[in-house]
Amino acid sequence: MRARLPDVEGHVDRDGVEIGYEVHGNGAPTLLLLPAWTIVHSRLWKGQVPYLARRHRVVVFDGPGNGRSDRPQDPDPYGHEAVAAAAIDVMDAIGTDAVVLVSLSKGANWSLKLAVDHPEHVLGQVFIAPSVPLAPPSGARARSVDTFYDELEDPQGWEKNNAHYWLRHYEDFAEFFFSQCFPEPHSTKQREDTVGWALETKPEVLLADAMAGMPDRDTVLGWCARVDSPVLVIHGSEDRISPLSRAEALTEATGGELVVLQGSGHIPLARDPVKVNLALRDFVDRVAS
Amino acid sequence: MRARQPDLTGVVDRDGVPIFYEVHGDGEPALLLIPPSPITHSRIYKALLPHLARHHRVVTFDGRGNGRSGRPVDVEDHTRAANVADILAVLDATGTADAVLVTHCHAAWWAVETIASQPDRVRALVAIEPGVPYLGWALESTGEVLAAAEEAQDLDPPGRERFEQQCRDLGVPTLVIHGDLDVCQHVDRGAAFAELTGGDLVVIEGSGHLALVRDPVAVNRAIIRFVDRITGAAMRRHTWTRGMHRERKVLYLSSPIGLGHVRRDLAVAEQLRTRHPDIRVEWLAQHPVTTVLEAAGETIHPASDWLASESGHIASEAAGHDLHCFQALRRMDEILVTNFMVFQEVVEDGLYDLVIGDEAWDVDHFWHENPELKRGSHVWFTDFVGYLPMPDGGEREAYLTADYNAEKIEHIERFPRIRDRAIFVGNAPDVVPEVFGPDLPKITDWTQDHFDFSGYITGFTPPPPDEAAQWRAELGYADDEKICIVTVGGSGVGEDLLHKAIAAYPIAKRAVPELRMVVVAGPRIDPQRLPRYPGLEVHGYVERLYRHLCVCDLAVVQGGLTTTMELTAARRPFLYFPLGHHFEQTYHVRHRLDQYGAGVHMDYVATDPDGLAAAITAEIGRAVDYRPVETDGAERAAAMIAELI
C-alpha cells in the first residue's frame, strides 16, 4: 500500500503526449519534484512525497516514456525544452505560481532550464546527484558513451550501456545499472524497485530518449550564471554515475550550498531518505522565510 | 573568573553621563546586547555573550544607572529617548555601522524606537521577554535611580497606537523568545509583539522571565539560528556520513581541575583500545590536560582552543591554603555554559558514538537540562558523589548544597537515559556515609543504585621493591638519607603550605639529622620566592614527580585525591593538609584514605611549624600497613564502557 494517495491525479497534453501528474497536500510553497531519466518514473520520490506533503503541496509528474505518461518513440518529447515545457503545463493545470524545484540526476538540466526561462515561477532549486555536463561522468561509465552504438561481443560491466545490449538484454542492463546506482551494502529493495520501474517501459523508448541529446557544458554554465534563487546540491561521495566533482562545479557556478553524503551512491533519496528529507525541509524552510 | 574577557572597553560620554561599553570577538553581523532598566547591567548576558562572541562581533554596555556607567537620579535622565541615544552613541563609539539588537524586557521598547528613528543602523531584533523591568543585580543600583527610571516612563507615555504602528512598520526580521511562566511580562505580550512585527516566536515552556539566565543553552541556540537564517550564513558545504559508513568515534572530556583525571583517562582509553582496536578517540580538553595528552600522542580536537579556562578559574578562586570549591564551582557557571556550547557544536558535527566525561560537569548538567541535545552514548565518571557543606557556611551553605544535590537527583530520576553508564572511580565503601541533605537519600544508598564501581584508577603501576631501590639510586637519594618531598602538585594553589614546611625544616632537621627535604614548587609557583636554608632543596618543575613520590620516606602534600592515592598505592607515609573550605578534600578524600588506612590527616590552620616538624619526625621512614590499592581499575572501567560502543 502506498503511504499516501494523491489528492489530485491528472494528465496534461504536451504536443500530443499525455503527461501524468499527481498532487499531494496543500501547504505553501509548492514543491515540484521533477522526473529523472526515463528508466524510472515518479514513484522514485516515494520516500519524500508523504513526508513533504504533510507541510507542502507536492507535485510529481512522470516524464514522457514511463509511469502514467505516454511512451513516444521519437526523440522530440525527450529534449530538455520539451520536458521543461511539460513542467510548465503541469503547473498551469494545477494553478501554481511559484515552486521549489527538486530534481535527481539528469533532471538537473530541466530544472536549470525552467529556472532561467521562468525565474518568476522558481523560488529555489534542489539538485540531488545532478548529472550536468560540468565535469565528465564517473570513470567506467564515461568510456561506455563512446561505444554506445557499437556492436560489442559479450559486453561486461559498463559496456552493457549499449544500444544493442539494451534491445536484447534490457532487464540485465537495468539490473547492472541500478547495482551501480546503489553501491551501498544491503540495497536489495531499492534495486528491485528501480528495476521494476525500468520494466514498465522498454528499450525502444530509452533509445528515443537517448537520441534527444543533452545541453552542452557552455549552455549549462550560461544557465547557472543566470540562476538568482537559492540552490541546494546534495551528492553522494560514492556516486558511480555522476561524480561529486559535478556537484561541486554546479554549486560553485550557482553560488549554492552543497551537502555531501559520505558513503552514498547516486540515488540517496531512496537509500538515505531521512537525511534527504531533512535537508529538503531545512532548505524549503529557509527559502520560504 | 569571566568566561571571556572583552577585546576592547571604553566609555562614551552622554551629556555628562558616562556609558561604559565592551566589544568582544568578530564576525558579521555585529550584535548589540542591550541591558534592560538600571535594575540590571550588561552582566545579565554573561551566559550568552561568550558563545555569541565566538560567532559574531558582540558589543554590550551598561545602561545608565548601573554597572560601570553613571548613576543619574533625575527623572529626565531616564527617558526612553535618553536610552535610545545611549544605544546610538555606543554604536557610534564602537564604529558599528549596523547591528542585530538583542534586548531583554524593557530594552525592546528602546530597540523599537531606535529602529524607528535610525532604521539603517539595525539589521534585526531579538527581543527576549519583551516588556518592562524585573529584578536581578538590584543591589548594585540604588532605590533613587530606580524611582527616577520608573517616573521617567510617565514623562513620555508610549501611546498605544503609535507604538503598535512602530511595531508593524519595524521592517527588520524579529525574533521573540519568551518563557511561558514569565510573571513579569506575560508570554502573551511576547506573542503579540511577534505577531505585530511579523517576527518569529520561540516559547520556552517552564521558563520564567529570565530564560536567558536560566535556560541559556536554548536561548543561545535560538539566537544563532535566527541570525544565521537572516544572513543566509548557513554553511556553504556540509558533509553527512551514512551511519554504516562511519568509523567508531569516542569524544573524551577530561576535567582540567587537577591533573589526576587525565592520568586515569589515558589509562582507560588505552584499555578501551585493546578491546576495540578500531576506535578513534578525540579529546576535548584544555590546559594543562592538553600538555599531558600531547606528550602521549593523543588527538586533541581543535575546538579545544575555544574552551574557557576552568583551571584558571579555580586558581583565581584560591587564596593561601584555602579554596571554597563548592562556591568556586557555582561561580564557574558562565564558563560551564560557554564550554557546553563548544562541546555541543563538536558533538553535533563530529558524529561520535560515545562521549566519556570525566567530571565534565557542563555536559552532564546541560544534557539533563536540555535532554533533546544528547548525541551518542554518555559515560559519566566521578570520584565523589554529593556536595557537602562546610561547617562555617551555616544554614545557607547547607541549603545550597542540598539544593544542588536535589537537582542532580531529580535530573537522574527524570532522565535516566542521559547517563548510559555512571562510573564511580573507587569502591562502594569509599562513598561518604552522609545524606544529600534534609529529606534526601543517603549518599551511599543512592550511589549504589545509580553507579557502577570500577575501583580506584591510578594510571600507573607502583614499582616493586627492587625497582624502587633502583629508582631511588637513579634519583640520587642515598640509602642513609631520609627523603621528605613537599609538593602542592601542578596547581598555583597552596604556596602557603610550602612556606610552612620550609619553616618546619630546621626544627625537623635537628630531630632527624638524616633528613633531606625536597620542595617542589611546580610550574605555577616561582621557586625564587621561597626561603632557602642550607641543605634544603627547592625545585621548580620536576619531571615524573611520581617517581620521587614512589621512593620517598615521607611526603607532605595537600588533600587532593590523585597525589594522596599515588602515595597510598606506593605505600609511602605521608602527611596531608586538605585545603580550607574544600569539601571534597575535607570529607570525600579523607574518608577514602581512611578506607585504606593511609596517610596522616593534618589541619592546616592548627598546625604550626613546630607541630609539622613533630609530625615529620614521627612519620618519616615509618613502615605502613595500608590496604593495597587495586591495579585493575582502568581495565574494569574500560570493560563497562566497551559495551556501549
Side-chain angles (χ1 to χ4, degrees):
Chain A
M1 203 178 78
R2 291 179 66 167
R4 183 191 170 101
L5 294 172
D7 299 316
V8 178
E9 290 176 88
H11 284 84
V12 294
D13 183 309
R14 180 74 218 165
D15 292 337
V17 179
E18 290 275 299
I19 299 291
Y21 66 82
E22 291 180 357
V23 182
H24 297 255
N26 55 19
T30 297
L31 312 185
L32 179 58
L33 313 185
L34 292 168
W37 185 23
T38 308
I39 198 165
V40 291
H41 57 67
S42 60
R43 289 285 284 150
L44 179 70
W45 300 105
K46 69 179 191 176
Q48 283 67 52
V49 169
Y51 170 69
L52 297 173
R54 270 201 290 116
R55 308 153 133 252
H56 299 281
R57 179 156 72 148
V58 180
V59 183
V60 294
F61 69 97
D62 294 317
N66 208 336
R68 274 167 292 185
S69 296
D70 286 346
R71 285 155 178 65
Q73 293 189 28
D74 64 296
D76 292 350
Y78 300 98
H80 56 262
E81 297 198 344
V83 178
I88 293 293
D89 289 346
V90 170
M91 287 169 66
D92 287 345
I94 61 172
T96 185
D97 277 347
V99 298
V100 174
L101 295 173
V102 185
S103 61
L104 171 73
S105 192
K106 73 185 283 193
N109 300 285
W110 307 324
S111 180
L112 286 166
K113 174 75 176 154
L114 276 167
V116 296
D117 287 353
H118 304 280
E120 73 283 4
H121 288 326
V122 178
L123 298 169
Q125 301 177 80
V126 180
F127 300 96
I128 303 170
S131 185
V132 285
L134 299 180
S138 296
R141 180 175 165 247
R143 288 191 293 280
S144 73
V145 175
D146 299 334
T147 58
F148 182 72
Y149 291 106
D150 298 352
E151 281 275 8
L152 301 174
E153 201 162 324
D154 191 21
Q156 296 297 320
W158 273 105
E159 290 170 350
K160 293 178 179 178
N161 188 32
N162 175 279
H164 306 283
Y165 196 81
W166 285 8
L167 290 167
R168 287 175 206 142
H169 305 285
Y170 178 57
E171 184 169 356
D172 183 66
F173 165 72
E175 282 175 1
F176 168 73
F177 177 74
F178 288 110
S179 75
Q180 298 303 298
C181 286
F182 294 107
E184 303 93 336
H186 316 299
S187 298
T188 52
K189 181 62 167 65
Q190 290 78 13
R191 291 190 194 181
E192 284 169 23
D193 278 354
T194 43
V195 169
W197 298 329
L199 296 179
E200 292 182 42
T201 186
K202 51 187 181 178
E204 291 79 3
V205 168
L206 292 193
L207 283 173
D209 176 347
M211 280 184 278
M214 294 289 288
D216 62 14
R217 183 169 190 276
D218 288 344
T219 304
V220 171
L221 275 178
W223 290 343
C224 290
R226 289 164 58 198
V227 168
D228 60 359
S229 51
V231 163
L232 171 66
V233 182
I234 300 173
H235 211 106
S237 65
E238 307 304 311
D239 192 328
R240 296 183 187 171
I241 311 299
S242 189
L244 181 60
S245 55
R246 285 182 162 175
E248 290 167 336
L250 180 62
T251 306
E252 178 78 28
T254 56
E257 291 172 44
L258 175 61
V259 174
V260 177
L261 306 180
Q262 202 73 35
S264 293
H266 186 57
I267 314 185
L269 54 102
R271 196 61 183 82
D272 291 301
V274 171
K275 180 62 191 177
V276 170
N277 284 346
L278 296 176
L280 285 170
R281 176 197 68 186
D282 291 349
F283 176 77
V284 173
D285 282 353
R286 212 160 54 239
V287 169
S289 70
Chain B
M1 204 177 79
R2 291 179 65 170
R4 182 191 169 97
Q5 299 298 328
D7 299 318
L8 181 73
T9 61
V11 174
V12 55
D13 182 87
R14 281 262 306 111
D15 292 340
V17 179
I19 303 295
F20 178 90
Y21 61 81
E22 292 182 352
V23 183
H24 295 254
D26 50 53
E28 280 290 309
L31 311 183
L32 178 67
L33 311 185
I34 308 172
S37 128
I39 203 160
T40 65
H41 54 66
S42 59
R43 291 282 285 150
I44 195 171
Y45 291 111
K46 71 177 188 175
L48 309 187
L49 190 150
H51 177 63
L52 299 177
R54 202 150 52 67
H55 299 269
H56 296 277
R57 179 168 183 264
V58 178
V59 180
T60 188
F61 65 99
D62 290 330
R64 45 185 54 226
N66 208 334
R68 288 152 293 181
S69 293
R71 282 163 177 61
V73 289
D74 288 343
V75 175
E76 292 76 15
D77 284 323
H78 288 279
T79 58
R80 283 198 311 285
N83 282 289
V84 169
D86 290 347
I87 290 168
L88 292 168
V90 170
L91 289 177
D92 289 341
T94 56
T96 309
D98 56 27
V100 175
L101 304 185
V102 179
T103 65
H104 180 249
C105 194
H106 210 156
W109 273 359
W110 308 332
V112 168
E113 299 217 343
T114 305
I115 296 164
S117 66
Q118 300 271 343
D120 294 346
R121 306 297 298 269
V122 182
R123 297 275 293 269
L125 169 62
V126 177
I128 307 169
E129 284 108 21
V132 289
Y134 185 57
L135 294 174
W137 283 281
L139 299 182
E140 291 184 40
S141 187
T142 69
E144 273 178 308
V145 168
L146 291 184
E150 282 297 309
E151 279 183 48
Q153 297 304 331
D154 299 332
L155 283 187
D156 179 19
R160 183 190 174 97
E161 283 182 19
R162 176 167 153 259
F163 180 69
E164 287 188 358
Q165 197 55 47
Q166 279 179 338
C167 290
R168 280 188 210 98
D169 296 344
L170 210 55
V172 298
T174 299
L175 169 67
V176 177
I177 302 172
H178 216 119
D180 75 334
L181 300 185
D182 189 339
V183 291
C184 181
Q185 303 297 338
H186 195 277
V187 64
D188 289 351
R189 171 168 275 171
F193 187 67
E195 176 87 30
L196 271 177
T197 55
D200 295 344
L201 174 65
V202 171
V203 174
I204 303 188
E205 286 194 354
S207 201
H209 185 55
L210 284 165
L212 77 169
V213 173
R214 198 60 187 80
D215 290 297
V217 172
V219 175
N220 270 323
R221 290 167 66 88
I223 294 173
I224 290 291
R225 233 183 353 247
F226 169 74
V227 176
D228 280 353
R229 189 158 54 76
I230 62 159
T231 54
M235 258 193 296
R236 306 315 286 178
R237 182 176 178 137
H238 168 82
T239 297
W240 174 80
T241 305
R242 301 192 72 233
M244 294 307 290
H245 200 71
R246 296 175 194 175
E247 58 181 336
R248 289 172 200 265
K249 279 172 75 181
V250 176
L251 185 67
Y252 212 133
L253 290 86
S254 183
S255 169
I257 304 173
L259 277 175
H261 299 99
V262 66
R263 183 88 63 79
R264 73 185 178 210
D265 294 331
L266 279 169
V268 171
E270 189 187 323
Q271 287 294 328
L272 210 48
R273 287 188 181 109
T274 64
R275 288 166 182 272
H276 290 299
D278 59 335
I279 57 168
R280 176 180 170 81
V281 179
E282 295 177 357
W283 299 78
L284 186 65
Q286 53 183 269
H287 184 80
V289 168
T290 42
T291 318
V292 180
L293 293 174
E294 276 162 11
E298 294 286 336
T299 304
I300 297 167
H301 194 288
S304 298
D305 289 347
W306 298 334
L307 296 170
S309 176
E310 293 178 22
S311 57
H313 169 77
I314 294 297
S316 78
E317 291 275 335
H321 194 78
D322 194 279
L323 172 61
H324 200 304
C325 76
F326 174 63
Q327 290 294 1
L329 202 59
R330 294 186 77 221
R331 284 191 286 261
M332 199 159 75
D333 56 347
E334 77 178 89
I335 290 174
L336 291 178
V337 68
T338 299
N339 290 348
F340 175 78
M341 298 306 299
V342 172
F343 161 79
Q344 188 64 28
E345 287 184 7
V346 168
V347 286
E348 287 186 10
D349 221 33
L351 306 175
Y352 296 96
D353 294 288
L354 176 63
V355 172
I356 304 175
D358 186 353
E359 294 187 359
W361 305 101
D362 50 346
V363 173
D364 190 65
H365 178 76
F366 286 111
W367 268 0
H368 281 98
E369 295 272 296
N370 304 264
E372 75 283 1
L373 298 186
K374 186 186 175 198
R375 299 286 189 282
S377 299
H378 174 218
V379 174
W380 166 251
F381 261 110
T382 190
D383 52 43
F384 76 93
V385 176
Y387 297 113
L388 297 173
M390 298 305 294
D392 64 358
E395 282 181 21
R396 177 68 184 164
E397 193 169 317
Y399 169 78
L400 288 175
T401 50
D403 185 55
Y404 270 58
N405 290 333
E407 180 180 53
K408 185 45 64 191
I409 291 167
E410 288 164 23
H411 274 165
I412 284 156
E413 298 291 330
R414 175 61 187 85
F415 294 109
R417 66 182 175 86
I418 294 296
R419 292 179 178 178
D420 295 286
R421 192 73 91 233
I423 298 175
F424 183 88
V425 182
N427 304 300
D430 297 335
V431 178
V432 291
E434 304 282 346
V435 289
F436 283 112
D439 303 322
L440 292 173
K442 281 185 181 165
I443 300 177
T444 41
D445 295 350
W446 189 86
T447 307
Q448 278 280 14
D449 291 346
H450 293 91
F451 278 81
D452 294 315
F453 297 86
S454 66
Y456 193 71
I457 306 170
T458 55
F460 80 108
T461 311
D466 53 335
E467 198 177 331
Q470 195 186 327
W471 283 13
R472 191 169 161 117
E474 282 169 18
L475 294 170
Y477 298 140
D479 286 345
D480 57 356
E481 290 178 317
K482 288 196 170 166
I483 308 299
C484 173
I485 308 279
V486 183
T487 174
V488 293
S491 75
V493 180
E495 184 176 337
D496 291 28
L497 177 61
L498 302 183
H499 284 273
K500 194 167 278 191
I502 289 169
Y505 169 71
I507 309 165
K509 180 77 178 170
R510 281 196 293 276
V512 185
E514 321 91 286
L515 174 64
R516 178 173 165 193
M517 183 180 276
V518 178
V519 176
V520 182
R524 290 177 180 236
I525 295 172
D526 179 7
Q528 302 303 322
R529 288 213 307 260
L530 299 173
R532 304 290 172 126
Y533 288 99
L536 175 83
E537 293 167 47
V538 178
H539 300 291
Y541 177 70
V542 170
E543 205 179 325
R544 294 192 288 176
L545 178 63
Y546 71 93
R547 283 160 55 96
H548 296 254
L549 293 175
C550 281
V551 302
C552 69
D553 297 296
L554 179 71
V556 177
V557 297
Q558 295 177 349
L561 182 66
T562 304
T563 306
T564 54
M565 282 301 287
E566 275 176 17
L567 290 161
T568 305
R571 312 185 71 73
R572 311 318 301 162
F574 63 96
L575 312 176
Y576 68 98
F577 291 84
L579 289 170
H581 295 107
H582 196 300
F583 75 89
E584 192 211 343
Q585 294 188 1
T586 303
Y587 299 116
H588 293 276
V589 177
R590 185 177 181 183
H591 174 74
R592 186 191 299 249
L593 293 173
D594 288 348
Q595 303 307 303
Y596 289 91
V600 176
H601 173 263
M602 304 288 289
D603 181 327
Y604 180 78
V605 176
T607 305
D608 61 10
D610 285 319
L612 178 52
I616 291 172
T617 306
E619 287 296 312
I620 196 158
R622 188 171 70 82
V624 301
D625 56 353
Y626 304 162
R627 186 164 68 77
V629 176
E630 49 276 33
T631 52
D632 61 349
E635 207 179 322
R636 284 163 64 189
M640 294 169 186
I641 298 169
E643 296 168 10
L644 298 172
I645 185 165

